[in-house]
Amino acid sequence: MSNEILDIAARMKELREICEFTPEEMARELNVTPEAYASYESGAIDIPISVLLAMANACHVEPSALLTGGEPKLHVYCLTRAGKGVGIDRRKEYRYKSLAYNFGNKVAEPFLVTAGVVPAGTPLVVNTHEGQEFDYLIEGTLRLTINGTELLLYPGDSIYFDSSYPHGMQAVGSEPAKFLAIVL
């Protein structure tokens, strides 16, 4: 795993301990198995964004506390210049940039996501998280599955959905897909 994932994993463990959750209690809170949670906290496997957002919510901290190790400082506005933002490299085919990481008390988490092309036939990884999500495709073609329904999104397409239903996405074609994801 990357150093970034290992740093986030260490912050997860520290935050869990500060909030006085056992690993088993945190796993229940995040609706994952204790084995999966132990793997996240050790940095052994990819940590889904949904897990990081849920943990931040459970511990009453801003997600940036897990992503960057610091609390947001801005309360009037947060300007993120082109190409900037806090990067989160999950699996090799996904790169996230948090676009409002330094703004406190957000009601939504905006990310610029780049989904790399994966070999044909690669299984789609699905997840769920509380709330709702809005995705706007900027470049490429994106295969999106929500609760068993498969959709193809093209540049300019957008979708808003209840993210408590199983959903997953993959770039298809020969180019990566870039999209704005806003998690509420």
Side-chain angles (χ1 to χ4, degrees):
M1 279 286 145
S2 72
N3 286 340
E4 184 178 281
I5 295 295
L6 293 174
D7 290 345
I8 292 171
R11 287 191 287 270
M12 287 178 72
K13 180 178 181 180
E14 181 180 25
L15 182 60
R16 176 186 55 75
E17 290 173 347
I18 289 169
C19 293
E20 299 182 342
F21 282 101
T22 66
E24 295 76 19
E25 290 169 336
M26 184 55 73
R28 275 193 304 278
E29 186 73 27
L30 302 178
N31 199 27
V32 299
T33 66
E35 296 78 18
Y37 181 77
S39 294
Y40 299 148
E41 195 174 276
S42 70
I45 63 172
D46 175 41
I47 307 165
I49 290 293
S50 58
V51 167
L52 296 174
L53 296 176
M55 185 172 190
N57 187 51
C59 292
H60 307 289
V61 299
E62 291 282 338
S64 61
L66 287 169
L67 300 176
T68 68
E71 285 291 322
K73 297 171 180 57
L74 303 175
H75 299 284
V76 176
Y77 69 89
C78 175
L79 173 64
T80 303
R81 298 286 183 191
K84 302 296 181 188
V86 171
I88 307 156
D89 290 328
R90 292 182 54 208
R91 298 180 301 272
K92 67 179 183 177
E93 66 269 14
Y94 282 99
R95 286 191 322 266
Y96 283 74
K97 285 221 183 249
S98 177
L99 299 178
Y101 65 94
N102 207 18
F103 191 86
N105 301 315
K106 291 182 289 298
V107 295
E109 286 291 333
F111 297 98
L112 181 61
V113 183
T114 303
V117 177
V118 296
T122 301
L124 186 68
V125 176
V126 297
N127 66 65
T128 62
H129 52 90
E130 288 184 21
Q132 300 169 351
E133 185 169 330
F134 171 81
D135 297 324
Y136 177 85
L137 191 64
I138 299 167
E139 298 174 359
T141 303
L142 190 68
R143 177 170 74 110
L144 175 67
T145 299
I146 302 173
N147 202 32
T149 300
E150 187 170 301
L151 306 161
L152 286 178
L153 277 68
Y154 302 97
D157 289 347
S158 65
I159 189 161
Y160 191 99
F161 59 94
D162 179 339
S163 50
S164 68
Y165 288 95
H167 61 281
M169 42 200 74
Q170 277 180 340
V172 295
S174 59
E175 300 295 321
K178 186 181 283 188
F179 59 100
L180 177 64
I182 300 174
V183 180
L184 302 141

